[in-house]
């Protein structure tokens, strides 16, 4: 399977899926366009883990109330593309994301699809911030070719989006952003042996804020004990005709702090409470 990757954020989402499904380095190859998977078996065998995550988020509701399919921010044009993808998979056009992912992982991973679909801006937000394209020397008009995805990349991108979702945090007043945690390219050999499903389960829906970054680094280290670098991505979700854009993004190396905090189990509850208080917007 060839996966066309058009933005750094989309690459992060795809990596989340591959790591969560247990892919190893020898099972995927870097190409000029993105990635090529040598074997789709891990997706078919472990895709149900991602479906469970999608159901959990749907039950919780990204907005904290009754979830609305497909539980991902979509503009008007993007909703039409989502409906087309759902129908291509043999589903109702308003099928929830968990149902769409389940049908794909169970029955459609090895199918060939020729059509391309408009990508949700949540998957490629770099292309919509001030109409500039990160890494490409041109403007919105020329970036159109990067804004369509084949069905496999589209669905795997959504799978990574929902898997990496940690929750919403308040920024100021009634404003809020949604936060995702993505693996980075550094130390990929370490990341592919990490249980990313378990890691996300430890921190999903419990994040209080992302600043100060020093408190976030310690909180993530204390909760996950992950020894590697992660990317924290905060998004302004799209509404109406307004696309999803990046509110903030930064990398955190948790290696040293995770090693140190691994020896403070007796004080873990107290430390966690102190860090959550410092991250809470009510204390800023």
């Amino acid at each position: 399977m060839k996966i066309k990757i058009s933005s750094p954020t989309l690459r992060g989402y795809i990596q989340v899926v591959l790591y969560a499904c247990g892919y190893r380095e020898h099972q995927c190859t870097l190409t000029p366009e993105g990635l090529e998977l040598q074997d789709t078996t891990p997706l078919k065998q472990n895709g149900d883990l991602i479906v469970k995550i999608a159901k959990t988020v749907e039950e919780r509701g990204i907005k904290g109330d009754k979830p609305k399919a497909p539980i991902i921010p979509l503009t008007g044009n993007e909703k039409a593309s989502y409906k087309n993808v759902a129908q291509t998979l043999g589903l109702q056009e308003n099928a929830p994301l968990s149902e769409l992912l389940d049908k794909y992982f169970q029955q459609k991973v090895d199918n060939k699809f020729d059509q391309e679909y408009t990508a949700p801006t949540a998957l490629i937000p770099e292309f919509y911030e001030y109409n500039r394209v990160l890494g490409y020397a041109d403007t919105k008009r020329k970036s159109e070719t990067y804004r369509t995805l084949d069905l496999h990349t589209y669905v795997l991108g959504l799978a990574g989006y929902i898997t990496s979702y940690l929750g919403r945090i308040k920024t100021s007043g009634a404003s809020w952003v949604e936060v995702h945690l993505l693996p980075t390219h550094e130390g990929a050999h370490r990341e592919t042996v990490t249980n990313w499903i378990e890691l996300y389960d430890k921190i999903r829906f419990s994040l209080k804020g992302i600043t100060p970054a020093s408190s976030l680094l310690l909180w993530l280290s204390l909760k996950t004990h992950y020894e590697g670098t992660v990317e924290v991505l905060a998004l302004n979700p799209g509404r109406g005709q307004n696309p999803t854009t990046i509110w903030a993004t930064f990398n955190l190396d948790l290696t040293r702090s995770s090693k140190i905090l691994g020896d403070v189990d007796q004080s873990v509850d107290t430390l966690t409470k102190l860090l959550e208080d410092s991250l809470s917007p009510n204390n800023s």
Side-chain angles (χ1 to χ4, degrees), residues 117-119 124 127-128 131 140 143-149:
Y117 305 86
T118 300
I124 52 172
F127 293 168
Y128 293 86
N131 290 336
K140 179 179 179 181
S143 69
E144 294 297 334
T145 56
Y146 301 106
R147 296 184 181 183
T148 59
L149 305 174

Side-chain angles (χ1 to χ4, degrees), residues 131-147:
N131 290 336
R132 296 185 183 275
V133 183
L134 184 62
Y136 298 91
D138 218 320
T139 58
K140 179 179 179 181
R141 180 177 61 84
K142 278 288 188 74
S143 69
E144 294 297 334
T145 56
Y146 301 106
R147 296 184 181 183

Side-chain angles (χ1 to χ4, degrees), residues 154-174:
Y154 186 106
V155 176
L156 291 176
L158 294 185
Y161 166 91
I162 205 68
T163 303
S164 64
Y165 175 78
L166 298 188
R168 299 194 320 166
I169 61 168
K170 200 172 183 181
T171 54
S172 61

